[in-house]
């Protein structure tokens, strides 16, 4: 998990999809010891489960039931990891040693900027170098797979439609929310809209401060901060209609009424920043990562693989 997260963040600059939990391969497992699970005949050793649990120690003592629950969660993660590795071995081009080394070298550079060595990184993640290389190899396989899944023309179209995300543009906004559900009666929706439109007109006329209006009228906990929800990127933090409205505005603008599943919003953009100016060529690997995350591809594949897999779980 640690290796995957660090590499993923370095490549995409956002919380993007990756492959693996920490995989600690069993050393010297007794022949008679039962595996924790079998996935299509491939074993997950008890030592792998133990290593995963030790990498995430609980800060407080756990009951027996809680320990069983954590073991089961660890086994499920390892099963998913192995299912994905099996899928990629069949459906992606092999990872070449030079590609694996390139990923490792790039990670070393990223770690060096944080004054951390690879050895320190591995110690923190409780991984050996060999286990880490297995994680990186799986990462390369995933890159090969999505490169075939999303041809360059498709990736470029996505990049152009979402360039503000890859340029690391962040908008800071405040909002006023009037809660009304998608299935609310038409009259309730109209009353909410009328209320918010009245507030909007008073704000635009300078009769009412936006922050004070949020404190008085908003149904969102952010009302305590005058509606401020902090800075956010174009995707994966706020819902799409909210993001589209906010990113289409200039600093100081107040939106028309924006409808989301949470209700009706007025949005005021209070800041807009940009840290990069990218080209498609410079970020195309990251673009494919984000497309995969956007469509939840990893979970789709796992769900399909679980349907046809033969999985035997032995750990209790």
């Amino acid at each position: 998990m640690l290796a995957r997260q660090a590499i993923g963040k370095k490549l995409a600059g956002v919380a993007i999809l990756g492959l693996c939990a920490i995989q600690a391969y069993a050393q010297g497992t007794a022949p008679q010891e039962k595996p924790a699970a079998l996935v299509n005949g491939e074993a997950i050793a008890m030592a792998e489960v133990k290593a995963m649990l030790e990498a995430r120690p609980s800060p407080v003592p756990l009951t027996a039931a809680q320990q069983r629950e954590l073991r089961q969660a660890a086994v499920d993660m390892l099963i998913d990891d192995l299912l994905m590795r099996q899928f990629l071995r069949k459906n992606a081009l092999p990872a070449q040693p030079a590609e694996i080394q390139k990923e490792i070298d790039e990670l070393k550079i990223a770690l060096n900027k944080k004054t951390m060595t690879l050895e320190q990184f591995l110690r923190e993640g409780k991984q050996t170098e060999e286990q880490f290389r297995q994680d990186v190899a799986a990462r390369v396989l995933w890159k090969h797979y999505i490169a075939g899944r999303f041809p360059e023309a498709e990736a470029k179209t996505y990049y152009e439609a979402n360039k503000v995300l890859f340029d690391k543009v962040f908008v800071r906004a405040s909002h006023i929310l009037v809660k009304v559900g998608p299935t609310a009666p038409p009259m309730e929706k109209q009353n909410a809209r009328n209320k918010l439109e009245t507030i909007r007109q008073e704000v635009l006329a300078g009769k009412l401060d936006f922050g004070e209006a949020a404190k008085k009228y908003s149904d969102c906990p952010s009302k305590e901060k005058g509606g401020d929800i902090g800075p956010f990127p174009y995707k994966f933090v706020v819902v799409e209609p909210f993001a589209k409205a906010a990113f289409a505005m200039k600093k100081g603008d107040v939106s028309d009424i924006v409808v989301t599943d949470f209700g009706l919003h007025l949005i005021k953009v209070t800041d807009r920043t940009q840290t990069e100016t990218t080209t498609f060529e410079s970020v195309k690997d990251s673009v494919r990562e984000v497309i995969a995350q956007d469509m939840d591809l990893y979970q789709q594949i796992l769900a399909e693989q679980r349907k046809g897999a033969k999985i035997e779980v032995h750990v209790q």
Side-chain angles (χ1 to χ4, degrees):
M1 179 72 77
L2 293 172
R4 184 263 302 170
Q5 286 178 338
I7 295 169
K9 287 178 182 177
K10 171 173 63 67
L11 288 173
V14 294
I16 61 176
L17 177 75
L19 282 176
C20 317
I22 295 171
Q23 185 170 32
Y25 292 93
Q27 300 292 325
T29 302
Q32 69 272 18
E33 182 181 38
K34 247 188 176 181
L38 287 171
V39 180
N40 296 320
E42 195 169 345
I44 296 172
M46 288 296 301
E48 296 180 55
V49 179
K50 183 180 178 184
M52 179 172 282
L53 293 172
E54 288 177 350
R56 296 166 176 78
S58 172
V60 296
L62 301 176
T63 66
Q66 288 171 328
Q67 290 175 12
R68 284 195 299 272
E69 187 177 342
L70 278 180
R71 276 197 301 272
Q72 186 58 57
V75 171
D76 286 342
M77 288 179 68
L78 288 166
I79 288 172
D80 284 347
D81 180 66
L82 185 50
L83 281 170
M84 181 58 74
R85 289 173 188 265
Q86 290 173 346
F87 172 83
L88 291 173
R89 288 200 295 259
K90 293 178 183 176
N91 294 280
L93 293 173
Q96 300 301 319
E99 293 177 292
I100 295 171
Q101 190 58 49
K102 182 174 180 288
E103 291 278 342
I104 293 172
D105 291 342
E106 288 178 354
L107 177 59
K108 285 180 178 178
I109 293 170
L111 289 172
N112 187 55
K113 291 178 181 178
K114 298 179 180 181
T115 65
M116 178 182 282
T117 66
L118 181 60
E119 290 72 22
Q120 290 170 321
F121 178 81
L122 295 179
R123 281 199 301 272
E124 284 191 11
K126 297 189 177 180
Q127 284 187 296
T128 67
E129 186 172 347
E130 179 57 31
Q131 292 156 7
F132 170 70
R133 282 183 173 272
Q134 291 287 344
D135 271 0
V136 175
R139 166 77 185 162
V140 172
L141 287 178
W142 175 252
K143 287 177 68 174
H144 287 178
Y145 177 74
I146 60 176
R149 180 72 180 262
F150 307 119
E152 188 153 310
E154 182 180 344
K156 191 169 186 179
T157 297
Y158 186 93
Y159 166 79
E160 290 168 351
N162 298 278
K163 192 174 187 300
V164 287
L165 177 67
F166 300 101
D167 284 352
K168 296 185 182 178
V169 176
F170 281 75
V171 159
R172 184 168 192 153
S174 298
H175 79 133
I176 300 168
L177 167 67
V178 175
K179 282 187 178 179
V180 58
T183 59
M187 183 60 72
E188 184 181 339
K189 290 182 179 180
Q190 188 59 51
N191 288 340
R193 182 173 286 274
N194 292 343
K195 175 182 177 181
L196 207 51
E197 184 58 38
T198 298
I199 296 169
R200 179 174 180 273
Q201 292 302 326
E202 291 189 2
V203 169
L204 292 177
K207 296 178 181 179
L208 185 61
D209 176 76
F210 192 95
E212 291 303 315
K215 289 178 181 179
K216 187 173 181 180
Y217 298 112
S218 182
D219 294 326
C220 178
S222 65
K223 64 191 281 183
E224 302 299 330
K225 298 184 288 184
D228 179 39
I229 59 172
F232 52 88
Y234 189 56
K235 281 184 177 289
F236 309 123
V237 176
V238 299
V239 291
E240 185 176 357
F242 193 105
K244 281 189 172 181
F247 274 80
M249 296 159 61
K250 297 176 183 176
K251 182 178 177 179
D253 284 353
V254 176
S255 71
D256 290 326
I257 293 172
V258 176
V259 182
T260 74
D261 287 343
F262 295 99
L264 306 180
H265 309 253
L266 284 184
I267 303 169
K268 181 176 181 179
V269 170
T270 57
D271 199 8
R272 187 181 178 103
T273 59
Q274 179 175 340
T275 58
E276 291 187 15
T277 301
T278 62
T279 64
F280 173 69
E281 285 300 319
S282 69
V283 295
K284 62 183 177 181
D285 286 342
S286 299
V287 173
R288 291 187 172 102
E289 293 276 3
V290 175
I291 298 173
Q293 184 180 4
D294 208 358
M295 64 183 291
D296 210 13
L297 179 61
Y298 186 82
Q299 292 302 324
Q300 287 181 26
I301 292 171
L302 279 180
E304 193 60 33
Q305 292 307 297
R306 274 188 173 269
K307 286 180 185 177
K310 184 178 179 182
I311 300 172
E312 303 172 35
V313 178
H314 302 298
V315 67
Q316 298 297 319

Short mmCIF file of all heavy atoms in Angstrom, two decimals, residues 185-207:
data_model
loop_
_atom_site.label_atom_id
_atom_site.label_comp_id
_atom_site.label_asym_id
_atom_site.label_seq_id
_atom_site.Cartn_x
_atom_site.Cartn_y
_atom_site.Cartn_z
N PRO A 185 -41.06 16.54 -2.99
CA PRO A 185 -42.21 17.02 -3.77
C PRO A 185 -41.86 18.32 -4.50
O PRO A 185 -41.04 19.12 -4.01
CB PRO A 185 -43.29 17.27 -2.72
CG PRO A 185 -42.89 16.44 -1.55
CD PRO A 185 -41.40 16.39 -1.56
N PRO A 186 -42.46 18.55 -5.67
CA PRO A 186 -42.16 19.76 -6.45
C PRO A 186 -42.32 21.05 -5.66
O PRO A 186 -41.52 21.98 -5.81
CB PRO A 186 -43.15 19.69 -7.61
CG PRO A 186 -43.44 18.22 -7.77
CD PRO A 186 -43.37 17.64 -6.40
N MET A 187 -43.34 21.13 -4.80
CA MET A 187 -43.57 22.34 -4.03
C MET A 187 -42.41 22.61 -3.06
O MET A 187 -41.97 23.74 -2.88
CB MET A 187 -44.87 22.25 -3.25
CG MET A 187 -45.21 23.52 -2.47
SD MET A 187 -45.39 24.96 -3.57
CE MET A 187 -46.95 24.55 -4.37
N GLU A 188 -41.88 21.53 -2.44
CA GLU A 188 -40.76 21.68 -1.52
C GLU A 188 -39.52 22.18 -2.26
O GLU A 188 -38.79 23.06 -1.77
CB GLU A 188 -40.46 20.35 -0.83
CG GLU A 188 -39.36 20.42 0.21
CD GLU A 188 -39.08 19.07 0.87
OE1 GLU A 188 -39.97 18.20 0.84
OE2 GLU A 188 -37.97 18.90 1.41
N LYS A 189 -39.30 21.64 -3.45
CA LYS A 189 -38.16 22.08 -4.25
C LYS A 189 -38.30 23.55 -4.64
O LYS A 189 -37.33 24.31 -4.60
CB LYS A 189 -38.03 21.22 -5.51
CG LYS A 189 -37.59 19.78 -5.25
CD LYS A 189 -37.45 19.02 -6.56
CE LYS A 189 -36.97 17.60 -6.32
NZ LYS A 189 -36.83 16.85 -7.59
N GLN A 190 -39.51 23.93 -5.02
CA GLN A 190 -39.72 25.31 -5.44
C GLN A 190 -39.55 26.28 -4.28
O GLN A 190 -38.96 27.37 -4.43
CB GLN A 190 -41.12 25.47 -6.05
CG GLN A 190 -41.36 26.83 -6.69
CD GLN A 190 -40.37 27.11 -7.82
OE1 GLN A 190 -40.18 26.30 -8.73
NE2 GLN A 190 -39.71 28.27 -7.76
N ASN A 191 -40.03 25.89 -3.10
CA ASN A 191 -39.87 26.75 -1.93
C ASN A 191 -38.39 26.95 -1.59
O ASN A 191 -37.96 28.05 -1.24
CB ASN A 191 -40.60 26.16 -0.73
CG ASN A 191 -42.11 26.26 -0.86
OD1 ASN A 191 -42.62 27.08 -1.64
ND2 ASN A 191 -42.84 25.44 -0.11
N ALA A 192 -37.61 25.85 -1.70
CA ALA A 192 -36.18 25.94 -1.44
C ALA A 192 -35.51 26.85 -2.45
O ALA A 192 -34.64 27.68 -2.10
CB ALA A 192 -35.56 24.55 -1.48
N ARG A 193 -35.90 26.72 -3.71
CA ARG A 193 -35.33 27.55 -4.76
C ARG A 193 -35.68 29.04 -4.52
O ARG A 193 -34.82 29.91 -4.67
CB ARG A 193 -35.84 27.09 -6.12
CG ARG A 193 -35.27 27.85 -7.30
CD ARG A 193 -35.70 27.21 -8.61
NE ARG A 193 -34.99 25.98 -8.84
CZ ARG A 193 -33.80 25.89 -9.42
NH1 ARG A 193 -33.16 26.99 -9.80
NH2 ARG A 193 -33.23 24.73 -9.62
N ASN A 194 -36.91 29.29 -4.16
CA ASN A 194 -37.32 30.68 -3.90
C ASN A 194 -36.52 31.29 -2.75
O ASN A 194 -36.09 32.44 -2.80
CB ASN A 194 -38.81 30.74 -3.58
CG ASN A 194 -39.68 30.39 -4.79
OD1 ASN A 194 -39.21 30.40 -5.93
ND2 ASN A 194 -40.95 30.09 -4.56
N LYS A 195 -36.33 30.49 -1.69
CA LYS A 195 -35.56 30.96 -0.53
C LYS A 195 -34.14 31.32 -0.94
O LYS A 195 -33.62 32.39 -0.58
CB LYS A 195 -35.55 29.88 0.55
CG LYS A 195 -34.69 30.20 1.76
CD LYS A 195 -34.69 29.05 2.76
CE LYS A 195 -33.77 29.33 3.94
NZ LYS A 195 -33.75 28.20 4.91
N LEU A 196 -33.52 30.45 -1.70
CA LEU A 196 -32.13 30.68 -2.07
C LEU A 196 -31.99 31.84 -3.06
O LEU A 196 -31.02 32.61 -3.00
CB LEU A 196 -31.54 29.39 -2.66
CG LEU A 196 -30.03 29.19 -2.54
CD1 LEU A 196 -29.56 29.38 -1.10
CD2 LEU A 196 -29.62 27.81 -3.03
N GLU A 197 -32.96 31.98 -3.94
CA GLU A 197 -32.91 33.08 -4.90
C GLU A 197 -33.06 34.42 -4.19
O GLU A 197 -32.40 35.42 -4.55
CB GLU A 197 -34.01 32.92 -5.95
CG GLU A 197 -33.97 33.96 -7.05
CD GLU A 197 -32.65 34.00 -7.81
OE1 GLU A 197 -32.05 32.91 -8.07
OE2 GLU A 197 -32.19 35.12 -8.14
N THR A 198 -33.88 34.46 -3.16
CA THR A 198 -34.02 35.69 -2.38
C THR A 198 -32.69 36.05 -1.70
O THR A 198 -32.26 37.20 -1.70
CB THR A 198 -35.12 35.52 -1.32
OG1 THR A 198 -36.36 35.26 -1.98
CG2 THR A 198 -35.25 36.77 -0.46
N ILE A 199 -32.05 35.04 -1.12
CA ILE A 199 -30.74 35.27 -0.49
C ILE A 199 -29.74 35.77 -1.52
O ILE A 199 -28.98 36.71 -1.28
CB ILE A 199 -30.22 33.97 0.17
CG1 ILE A 199 -31.15 33.54 1.31
CG2 ILE A 199 -28.79 34.14 0.67
CD1 ILE A 199 -30.87 32.14 1.83
N ARG A 200 -29.74 35.15 -2.68
CA ARG A 200 -28.80 35.52 -3.75
C ARG A 200 -28.98 36.98 -4.15
O ARG A 200 -27.99 37.71 -4.29
CB ARG A 200 -28.99 34.60 -4.95
CG ARG A 200 -28.07 34.91 -6.13
CD ARG A 200 -28.22 33.87 -7.23
NE ARG A 200 -27.34 34.18 -8.34
CZ ARG A 200 -27.67 35.00 -9.35
NH1 ARG A 200 -28.87 35.57 -9.38
NH2 ARG A 200 -26.80 35.25 -10.32
N GLN A 201 -30.20 37.39 -4.35
CA GLN A 201 -30.45 38.77 -4.77
C GLN A 201 -29.99 39.76 -3.71
O GLN A 201 -29.44 40.82 -4.03
CB GLN A 201 -31.93 38.96 -5.08
CG GLN A 201 -32.42 38.20 -6.32
CD GLN A 201 -31.65 38.58 -7.57
OE1 GLN A 201 -31.22 39.73 -7.76
NE2 GLN A 201 -31.44 37.59 -8.46
N GLU A 202 -30.18 39.41 -2.42
CA GLU A 202 -29.74 40.31 -1.35
C GLU A 202 -28.22 40.38 -1.28
O GLU A 202 -27.65 41.45 -1.02
CB GLU A 202 -30.33 39.85 -0.02
CG GLU A 202 -31.84 40.04 0.09
CD GLU A 202 -32.35 39.79 1.48
OE1 GLU A 202 -31.54 39.51 2.39
OE2 GLU A 202 -33.58 39.88 1.68
N VAL A 203 -27.56 39.25 -1.53
CA VAL A 203 -26.09 39.25 -1.55
C VAL A 203 -25.58 40.09 -2.71
O VAL A 203 -24.67 40.93 -2.56
CB VAL A 203 -25.56 37.80 -1.65
CG1 VAL A 203 -24.06 37.80 -1.95
CG2 VAL A 203 -25.82 37.03 -0.35
N LEU A 204 -26.15 39.89 -3.90
CA LEU A 204 -25.70 40.63 -5.08
C LEU A 204 -25.95 42.14 -4.94
O LEU A 204 -25.19 42.96 -5.46
CB LEU A 204 -26.40 40.10 -6.33
CG LEU A 204 -26.01 38.67 -6.77
CD1 LEU A 204 -26.84 38.24 -7.96
CD2 LEU A 204 -24.53 38.58 -7.09
N ALA A 205 -27.02 42.49 -4.23
CA ALA A 205 -27.35 43.90 -4.04
C ALA A 205 -26.52 44.54 -2.93
O ALA A 205 -26.62 45.74 -2.69
CB ALA A 205 -28.84 44.04 -3.73
N GLY A 206 -25.71 43.74 -2.25
CA GLY A 206 -24.88 44.26 -1.18
C GLY A 206 -25.62 44.46 0.13
O GLY A 206 -25.09 45.06 1.07
N LYS A 207 -26.83 43.94 0.21
CA LYS A 207 -27.62 44.08 1.43
C LYS A 207 -27.27 43.01 2.46
O LYS A 207 -27.60 43.15 3.64
CB LYS A 207 -29.12 43.96 1.11
CG LYS A 207 -29.64 45.07 0.21
CD LYS A 207 -31.11 44.85 -0.11
CE LYS A 207 -31.66 45.93 -1.02
NZ LYS A 207 -33.09 45.70 -1.35
#
